[in-house]
Amino acid sequence: MITKSVFGNAIFSDKISVALGNVQFPEGPTNLYQPIRYILSLAGKRIRPQLVLLGADLFGDTPIDEVVPASVAIEYFHNFTLIHDDIMDKAPLRRGQETVHQKWNDDIAILSGDALLIKAYEQLAQCPAIVVPSLLKTFNKVALEVCEGQQMDMDFETREHVSKEEYVNMIRLKTSVLLGGALEMGAIIAGASNQERSKLYRFGENLGIAFQLQDDILDAFGDPATFGKQIGGDIIVNKKTILHILLKQELDVADFALFTTILEMPASKSESKIQQMKELYQKYAVLDKANALKEAYTRRAYASLDEIEVENRRKEDLFSLADHLMNRAR
Amino acid sequence: MITKSVFGNAIFSDKISVALGNVQFPEGPTNLYQPIRYILSLAGKRIRPQLVLLGADLFGDTPIDEVVPASVAIEYFHNFTLIHDDIMDKAPLRRGQETVHQKWNDDIAILSGDALLIKAYEQLAQCPAIVVPSLLKTFNKVALEVCEGQQMDMDFETREHVSKEEYVNMIRLKTSVLLGGALEMGAIIAGASNQERSKLYRFGENLGIAFQLQDDILDAFGDPATFGKQIGGDIIVNKKTILHILLKQELDVADFALFTTILEMPASKSESKIQQMKELYQKYAVLDKANALKEAYTRRAYASLDEIEVENRRKEDLFSLADHLMNRAR
């Protein structure tokens, strides 16, 4: 069962749900295909496949059926990364349900993830033959960068120091390039020029960075009623978020000692840990700095979309989606 | 460092070594690309990339540089499966050296395997654009079947009963379709017709099955001086090989009890375990039956190559390679 999403353009959302629901996986081996059906049934917002359709729509009236397979490919790829990342992160839950490696085991999660990645390429191969080589190049580039980002994320966990630039580059690779790539693939199918494709890619890439920075900010400063996760979760596990990194580079000697003490506080004192860390964030105006950085990337994203030479009415859906993601009113 | 192979056509072998040696991987993240360089440096026989070049060569004089990227893609894919299979099999050694998950860790092996699979597609994308969609379809089909075969292999380990047909299908998927697919991809690039492509694919597929059956046979009955592994290794770990399966389906009640007793013998009695199991194999003429099955697939393979409508001199390299793999004199 594919749960219907109402995120983004409603017509596109329906198309994606139908397309995802229509793909038949072989019955067996059960341990290979059942985990794939399972992860795809834990419907997320389906934002990435939307981006492919919106990217194509921006440049004209390409028949939607020529775009849908690339849109499904991107959603498959995203779910492949979730299966494998969850193994590496030892995550027990995904979208409120058991992760694949938890429900089955690591071996099955490795192999069904592999199969889902190949299934993504199978979808790509169903796009019009004339655009397949170009789609393949963009998809490969982005897919490899996502792997690089995931490796950096893991490397950063055990590293003493991570700079702001390194951190932004990591989130760019791990999450943002896929948003840019999804949009660009839509543009490729619609026959956009290289220049327009690049502008659209940069819109997605910068918006993705801004969104990820916002996620870091909300984890500490979000509204508990709407955030959906425990406020301060990142602080409890000493995650090197943008707030953590911006704070660390500003601390004076005395506060650095305090910072180190806070990092070493045990799980039993998490309330106090969160509070003390947030006091340091306030003292060093870290929230303002993080918000400024987020705004800079948001502006770059919007500017890039502005520059694309198509009628403004065609950009409405993408601006709305960006507003929605960045909690902006226009 | 890529060790030069002298397997198959020497000119092609050189081309493959040079091509594999020429591909540059990014410096970082080190933990993503170093394992890839490592696995590729443990040079195997490079039989699969040879098959791509031989498959193209069969149908005319396609410029070799148009074929090499597909040949590298197949070698990358094969090495991707080795990295991930070794995690699942908890194998400490590969080609006499530490496996990737052993030398680094499971997480790094998962992710560098993923990256290598994507790198394989990157190579595919470098083939002439006109054949990319067709190559992609063949590659995806075979790649997915390899995953299915690996899952079946794992499933069979814990299953009570595996039939001869199920076993042959598993080895077909796990190892043989990739040989067929490698040849077929060469044929696609050379512009062969669908019919000729299929014949060449079936040659590779059947030869692969025969080779795998031979591997099972040699594990118990090979010459210790030339086999390279311990004779009887499969018997010690109760592996459901073709010999095991053919024996089990013939046993009378008394010998079935003996068979079960042998399976339960501990590692400390492995000499005796191997001897007793081989006595059962002899009593039920299992070696003859397995050889007959191997011969049937070998004949099918050769017949399929015979049927291809090109000059016989063009088939020489493939017949030689098949003879070499099957230890045949002609």
Side-chain angles (χ1 to χ4, degrees):
Chain A
M1 268 306 297
I2 304 293
T3 311
K4 225 169 81 172
S5 157
V6 288
F7 189 81
N9 178 308
I11 297 169
F12 291 170
S13 182
D14 276 349
K15 269 280 175 188
I16 292 161
S17 292
V18 170
L20 287 168
N22 277 348
V23 180
Q24 295 295 319
F25 293 97
E27 269 308 303
T30 312
N31 283 336
L32 188 65
Y33 291 113
Q34 195 53 35
I36 292 178
R37 280 187 282 264
Y38 172 76
I39 189 90
L40 293 173
S41 75
L42 306 180
K45 290 194 293 284
R46 311 279 190 219
I47 177 177
R48 291 162 193 81
Q50 276 268 349
L51 291 176
V52 180
L53 298 180
L54 291 169
D57 188 58
L58 187 64
F59 294 103
D61 301 310
T62 313
I64 193 165
D65 291 340
E66 296 185 3
V67 190
V68 164
S71 148
V72 173
I74 286 285
E75 184 65 7
Y76 283 3
F77 176 81
H78 176 58
N79 280 274
F80 142 74
T81 64
L82 298 183
I83 295 176
H84 279 193
D85 287 3
D86 283 343
I87 306 172
M88 301 178 216
D89 300 342
K90 299 186 174 42
L93 293 176
R94 162 72 57 191
R95 294 167 185 161
Q97 304 285 322
E98 279 181 293
T99 47
V100 169
H101 71 98
Q102 183 79 19
K103 194 172 163 77
W104 284 272
N105 60 47
D106 280 10
D107 291 348
I108 287 177
I110 293 171
L111 199 60
S112 60
D114 292 345
L116 187 51
L117 174 56
I118 296 163
K119 278 279 173 192
Y121 283 102
E122 218 177 61
Q123 288 292 319
L124 272 196
Q126 288 178 31
C127 291
I130 188 82
V131 291
V132 166
S134 178
L135 287 177
L136 189 59
K137 286 200 172 84
T138 297
F139 187 89
N140 289 335
K141 175 177 167 290
V142 164
L144 207 56
E145 287 177 338
V146 171
C147 293
E148 292 177 0
Q150 169 66 8
Q151 185 60 55
M152 284 179 198
D153 196 14
M154 294 198 294
D155 290 342
F156 288 179
E157 278 177 34
T158 53
R159 254 175 57 178
E160 180 63 25
H161 182 73
V162 176
S163 73
K164 184 181 81 174
E165 289 70 26
E166 286 175 317
Y167 181 74
V168 170
N169 191 42
M170 183 276 284
I171 60 175
R172 182 182 73 81
L173 293 168
K174 183 169 173 171
T175 68
S176 308
V177 297
L178 187 59
L179 307 184
L183 287 162
E184 186 172 359
M185 283 166 62
I188 289 170
I189 301 172
S193 70
N194 282 342
Q195 207 177 9
E196 301 302 291
R197 277 168 49 178
S198 296
K199 289 176 195 163
L200 186 57
Y201 172 86
R202 284 196 299 274
F203 163 69
E205 191 184 51
N206 286 311
L207 189 72
I209 294 170
F211 183 76
Q212 200 60 45
L213 293 174
Q214 174 174 266
D215 202 54
D216 282 2
I217 294 166
L218 291 176
D219 194 279
F221 296 102
D223 177 354
T226 57
F227 183 59
K229 286 185 282 189
Q230 184 193 2
I231 296 295
D234 288 345
I235 295 173
I236 294 172
V237 299
N238 296 338
K239 196 168 170 214
K240 296 189 187 79
T241 64
I242 192 66
L243 301 171
H244 176 112
I245 290 166
L246 290 174
L247 174 64
K248 197 177 170 194
Q249 70 182 26
E250 299 288 340
L251 291 166
D252 64 28
V253 176
D255 283 333
F256 191 86
L258 173 59
F259 176 71
T260 309
T261 310
I262 297 172
L263 291 180
E264 286 163 358
M265 285 171 73
S268 59
K269 295 192 180 169
S270 58
E271 287 281 322
S272 167
K273 182 173 184 174
I274 294 169
Q275 197 194 324
Q276 288 189 57
M277 188 63 88
K278 285 175 76 170
E279 280 166 17
L280 273 186
Y281 285 161
Q282 254 131 29
K283 179 169 177 186
Y284 286 89
V286 164
L287 177 58
D288 293 343
K289 285 169 190 153
N291 269 323
L293 194 63
K294 179 192 93 170
E295 280 304 319
Y297 282 102
T298 309
R299 274 195 308 276
R300 272 188 233 177
Y302 280 70
S304 203
L305 184 52
D306 268 329
E307 282 171 22
I308 295 175
E309 293 176 357
V310 302
E311 288 171 82
N312 276 330
R313 64 169 182 90
R314 290 212 165 266
K315 300 178 183 173
E316 275 312 310
D317 276 347
L318 282 173
F319 274 122
S320 300
L321 185 140
D323 292 343
H324 179 83
L325 284 175
M326 302 311 299
N327 294 308
R328 280 193 164 200
R330 302 189 99 217
Chain B
M1 270 304 301
I2 302 296
T3 310
K4 226 169 82 172
S5 157
V6 289
F7 189 81
N9 177 309
I11 297 169
F12 292 170
S13 183
D14 276 350
K15 268 281 176 189
I16 292 161
S17 291
V18 170
L20 287 168
N22 277 349
V23 180
Q24 296 295 320
F25 292 96
E27 270 308 301
T30 311
N31 283 335
L32 187 65
Y33 291 113
Q34 194 54 33
I36 292 178
R37 279 187 284 263
Y38 172 77
I39 189 90
L40 293 173
S41 75
L42 306 179
K45 290 194 292 283
R46 311 279 191 218
I47 176 175
R48 292 162 192 80
Q50 275 269 348
L51 291 175
V52 180
L53 297 181
L54 292 169
D57 187 58
L58 188 64
F59 295 103
D61 301 308
T62 313
I64 194 165
D65 291 341
E66 295 186 4
V67 191
V68 163
S71 149
V72 173
I74 286 285
E75 184 66 6
Y76 283 4
F77 176 81
H78 175 58
N79 281 274
F80 143 74
T81 66
L82 298 183
I83 296 176
H84 279 194
D85 287 4
D86 284 342
I87 306 172
M88 301 178 217
D89 300 342
K90 299 183 175 42
L93 293 177
R94 161 73 56 191
R95 296 167 184 161
Q97 304 285 322
E98 278 182 294
T99 48
V100 169
H101 71 98
Q102 183 79 19
K103 196 173 162 75
W104 285 271
N105 61 47
D106 280 10
D107 290 348
I108 286 177
I110 293 171
L111 199 60
S112 61
D114 293 344
L116 187 52
L117 174 56
I118 296 163
K119 277 278 172 191
Y121 283 101
E122 218 177 60
Q123 289 292 319
L124 272 196
Q126 287 179 31
C127 292
I130 187 82
V131 293
V132 166
S134 178
L135 287 177
L136 189 58
K137 286 202 170 82
T138 297
F139 187 88
N140 288 335
K141 174 176 168 290
V142 164
L144 207 56
E145 287 177 338
V146 171
C147 292
E148 292 177 1
Q150 169 68 6
Q151 185 60 55
M152 284 180 198
D153 196 14
M154 293 197 295
D155 289 343
F156 289 180
E157 277 177 33
T158 54
R159 255 174 58 179
E160 180 63 25
H161 183 73
V162 176
S163 74
K164 182 181 82 175
E165 289 70 26
E166 286 176 317
Y167 180 74
V168 170
N169 191 41
M170 182 277 284
I171 61 175
R172 182 182 72 82
L173 293 167
K174 183 169 172 169
T175 67
S176 309
V177 297
L178 187 58
L179 306 184
L183 287 161
E184 186 172 359
M185 284 167 61
I188 289 170
I189 301 171
S193 71
N194 282 343
Q195 206 177 10
E196 301 302 291
R197 278 168 49 179
S198 296
K199 288 176 196 165
L200 186 57
Y201 172 86
R202 283 197 300 274
F203 163 69
E205 190 183 52
N206 286 311
L207 189 72
I209 294 170
F211 182 76
Q212 200 60 46
L213 294 174
Q214 174 174 266
D215 202 54
D216 282 1
I217 293 166
L218 291 177
D219 194 277
F221 295 102
D223 178 353
T226 57
F227 183 58
K229 285 185 284 189
Q230 183 192 7
I231 296 295
D234 289 345
I235 294 174
I236 294 172
V237 299
N238 297 337
K239 195 166 170 213
K240 296 188 188 79
T241 64
I242 191 66
L243 301 171
H244 176 113
I245 290 166
L246 290 173
L247 175 65
K248 196 178 170 194
Q249 71 181 23
E250 298 289 339
L251 291 166
D252 65 28
V253 176
D255 283 332
F256 189 86
L258 173 59
F259 177 71
T260 310
T261 310
I262 297 172
L263 292 180
E264 286 163 0
M265 285 170 73
S268 59
K269 295 189 180 171
S270 58
E271 286 280 321
S272 167
K273 183 174 184 175
I274 294 169
Q275 198 196 324
Q276 288 188 55
M277 188 63 88
K278 285 175 77 169
E279 280 167 16
L280 273 186
Y281 286 161
Q282 254 132 29
K283 179 169 177 188
Y284 285 90
V286 163
L287 177 58
D288 293 343
K289 285 169 190 151
N291 269 323
L293 194 63
K294 178 192 91 169
E295 280 304 319
Y297 282 101
T298 309
R299 275 195 307 277
R300 273 188 233 177
Y302 280 69
S304 203
L305 184 53
D306 269 329
E307 282 171 23
I308 294 175
E309 293 176 357
V310 301
E311 289 172 82
N312 275 330
R313 66 170 180 88
R314 291 211 164 268
K315 299 179 183 172
E316 275 312 308
D317 276 347
L318 281 173
F319 274 123
S320 299
L321 185 140
D323 292 343
H324 180 82
L325 284 175
M326 301 313 298
N327 293 309
R328 279 192 165 201
R330 303 189 95 216

